[in-house]
């Protein structure tokens, strides 16, 4: 199978640089590296262009104008722009373990999507990484972090945990998620009525579940480290988006109304 690594970003060029450096160190390189850019400015474009000598033609920059929080839309555009069989989705403020892509590929199965975890780096460590001052591989025992257990690499244990949360969307994050492109198209991708942060990945996963696609929870593999940033202020978005999530659960919907289908013809 062919794989695309989709990296979402918005005006965080130093974070994105850290993420792309960790992608460059992967033991197995994805066939496509697609930066899904929700309206960033010139500094982000410059960071991406700086990596073309490393990644060559496999690096794509999918950009849309800044029209507020349009994460679902840029994810749909990036998936539509991909030609790969399998999509691995992360955020542009993640540092990936060098085996991250290889382990996602190893755990891919027809009829399933994969949900991974992350640990949260300390603010001082995050700033050192942004300033290119941190040396040595990241590991659970090397750097201050929270959710430290999520950074433990023990793939021999992963197989015992794959059925964890199989029928739920608990602990599911878009920053560490993988699925088949055809399955995403069947579900019509991410619901673009989500224009505030929160629950959009879980709502997408519910529609996959309604299509008969089950979850594999990847624990102790596919390790990633989240660069610290202040927590978003909750202006009621989580409650509003939670209502959308519960509506999808109640209706048994398999597709959203406004999704990826509007971009598929553009990419032919």
């Amino acid at each position: 199978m062919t794989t695309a690594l989709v990296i979402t970003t918005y005006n965080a060029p130093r974070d994105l640089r850290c993420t792309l450096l960790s992608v460059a160190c992967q033991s197995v390189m994805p066939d496509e590296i697609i930066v899904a850019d929700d309206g960033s400015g010139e500094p982000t474009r410059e960071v991406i262009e700086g990596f073309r000598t490393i990644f060559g033609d496999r690096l794509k920059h999918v950009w849309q104008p800044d029209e507020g929080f349009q994460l679902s839309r840029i994810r749909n555009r990036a998936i539509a722009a991909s030609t790969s069989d399998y999509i691995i989705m992360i955020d542009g403020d993640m540092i990936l373990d060098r085996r991250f892509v290889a382990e996602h590929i190893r755990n891919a199965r027809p009829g399933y999507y994969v949900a991974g975890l992350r640990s949260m780096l300390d603010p001082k460590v995050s700033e050192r990484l942004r300033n290119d001052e941190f040396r040595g591989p990241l590991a659970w025992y090397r750097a201050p972090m929270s959710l430290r257990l999520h950074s433990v690499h023990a793939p021999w244990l992963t197989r015992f945990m794959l059925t964890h949360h199989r029928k739920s969307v608990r602990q599911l994050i878009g920053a560490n998620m993988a699925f088949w492109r055809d399955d995403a198209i069947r579900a019509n991708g991410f619901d673009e009525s989500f224009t505030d942060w929160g629950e959009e990945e879980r709502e997408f996963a519910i529609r996959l579940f309604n299509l008969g696609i089950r979850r594999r929870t990847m624990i102790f593999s596919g390790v990633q480290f989240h660069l610290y940033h202040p927590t978003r202020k909750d202006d009621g978005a989580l409650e509003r988006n939670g209502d959308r999530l519960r509506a999808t659960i109640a209706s048994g919907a398999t597709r959203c109304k406004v999704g990826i289908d509007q971009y598929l013809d553009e990419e032919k």
Side-chain angles (χ1 to χ4, degrees):
M1 71 182 187
T2 53
T3 57
L5 182 68
V6 172
I7 307 168
T8 56
T9 192
Y10 174 70
N11 280 332
R14 292 197 301 157
D15 289 10
L16 180 61
R17 178 179 176 274
C18 292
T19 299
L20 290 172
L21 284 170
S22 72
V23 174
C25 296
Q26 291 299 295
S27 60
V28 174
M29 196 63 63
D31 298 280
E32 298 176 290
I33 301 163
I34 304 176
V35 179
D37 185 351
D38 189 16
S40 301
E42 183 65 14
T44 294
R45 189 195 68 80
E46 290 174 357
V47 166
I48 296 167
E49 291 303 314
F51 279 87
R52 292 208 180 274
T53 55
I54 297 174
F55 297 130
D57 292 340
R58 75 181 68 211
L59 179 61
K60 299 179 181 180
H61 183 194
V62 178
W63 180 90
Q64 65 187 13
D66 186 354
E67 297 177 352
F69 184 90
Q70 298 292 343
L71 179 59
S72 291
R73 181 193 298 170
I74 197 59
R75 281 173 169 164
N76 286 339
R77 288 184 181 275
I79 296 166
S82 169
T83 60
S84 294
D85 303 313
Y86 198 66
I87 308 294
I88 304 169
M89 197 169 67
I90 66 171
D91 287 347
D93 54 7
M94 298 292 164
I95 308 296
L96 307 181
D97 178 86
R98 65 182 180 83
R99 298 151 293 199
F100 181 85
V101 171
E103 290 175 343
H104 263 288
I105 293 171
R106 185 179 308 130
N107 283 284
R109 297 290 188 280
Y112 291 89
Y113 73 93
V114 172
L117 302 175
R118 65 182 173 189
S119 59
M120 312 291 282
L121 291 170
D122 175 87
K124 291 182 179 179
V125 172
S126 299
E127 200 59 23
R128 287 165 64 188
L129 282 162
R130 291 182 177 110
N131 293 329
D132 197 27
E133 296 175 5
F134 196 86
R135 295 292 181 268
L138 290 173
W140 65 271
Y141 54 85
R142 281 184 60 90
M145 67 184 75
S146 58
L147 301 176
R148 189 178 294 272
L149 183 63
H150 296 175
S151 67
V152 174
H153 184 257
W156 61 275
L157 286 174
T158 301
R159 58 182 174 151
F160 299 110
M161 305 299 294
L162 287 170
T163 59
H164 191 55
H165 294 327
R166 176 165 285 188
K167 295 183 179 181
S168 79
V169 291
R170 291 183 61 194
Q171 292 184 302
L172 188 146
I173 54 173
N176 193 349
M177 185 179 185
F179 45 84
W180 297 93
R181 183 177 184 270
D182 285 349
D183 290 341
I185 291 171
R186 287 173 60 205
N188 204 20
F190 289 85
D191 186 345
E192 295 185 18
S193 71
F194 284 78
T195 55
D196 296 295
W197 174 82
E199 304 290 21
E200 64 278 354
E201 300 100 347
R202 294 178 183 179
E203 193 276 340
F204 170 64
I206 288 295
R207 283 184 279 113
L208 291 178
F209 182 86
N210 292 341
L211 284 167
I213 299 160
R214 297 299 179 250
R215 169 177 174 171
R216 287 165 66 86
T217 302
M218 198 165 70
I219 303 175
F220 303 121
S221 296
V223 170
Q224 60 176 201
F225 305 86
H226 183 233
L227 292 165
Y228 172 83
H229 59 72
T231 303
R232 295 174 185 266
K233 294 181 179 179
D234 185 6
D235 59 357
L238 277 176
E239 183 177 351
R240 292 191 298 273
N241 290 350
D243 289 341
R244 292 188 176 95
L245 173 65
R246 287 184 285 274
T248 298
I249 294 171
S251 68
T254 58
R255 290 175 60 85
C256 58
K257 292 181 179 179
V258 184
I260 197 173
D261 55 359
Q262 61 194 308
Y263 311 114
L264 297 174
D265 289 340
E266 294 177 5
E267 301 300 333
K268 288 182 180 178

